[in-house]
């Protein structure tokens, strides 16, 4: 696999929504969220990246992935002169 598929993109976007300032803050996916977000959260939970299937907190693995995702997002959003 040499590219991010739609599921991975949804997962990365959800990971980026977790607060980065405090590990004591998490997310709650509400019942009216899009199915894409609901399914992304369920997959992240199954992979051990978040603590609950409807959000919760980032696990240690999740914190590492979020850090990498933020670096990727910053690097790819840099403006060229």
């Amino acid at each position: 696999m040499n590219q991010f598929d739609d599921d991975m993109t949804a997962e990365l976007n959800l990971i980026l929504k977790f607060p980065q300032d405090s590990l004591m803050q998490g997310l709650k996916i509400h019942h009216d969220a899009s199915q894409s977000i609901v399914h992304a959260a369920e997959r992240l939970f199954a992979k051990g990246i978040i603590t609950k299937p409807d959000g919760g907190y980032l696990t240690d693995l999740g914190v590492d992935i979020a850090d990498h995702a933020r670096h990727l997002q910053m690097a790819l959003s840099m403006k060229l002169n």
Side-chain angles (χ1 to χ4, degrees), residues 39-72:
H39 292 306
E42 291 169 350
R43 289 190 304 273
L44 291 173
F45 173 72
K47 294 173 184 177
I49 296 169
I50 60 176
T51 60
K52 295 186 177 194
D54 63 349
Y57 300 93
L58 293 169
T59 63
D60 289 342
L61 174 61
V63 170
D64 289 341
I65 291 171
D67 186 48
H68 289 295
R70 288 185 181 100
H71 282 99
L72 280 168

Side-chain angles (χ1 to χ4, degrees), residues 3-18 27 36-37 39-41 43-44 47 49-50 58 61-62 64-73 76:
Q3 61 185 8
F4 292 111
D5 63 22
D6 292 341
D7 286 349
M8 288 180 200
T9 302
E11 292 168 13
L12 285 167
N13 285 330
L14 183 55
I15 287 169
L16 289 173
K17 292 184 184 297
F18 277 83
L27 287 182
S36 174
I37 292 173
H39 292 306
R43 289 190 304 273
L44 291 173
K47 294 173 184 177
I49 296 169
I50 60 176
L58 293 169
L61 174 61
D64 289 341
I65 291 171
D67 186 48
H68 289 295
R70 288 185 181 100
H71 282 99
L72 280 168
Q73 193 275 332
L76 295 175

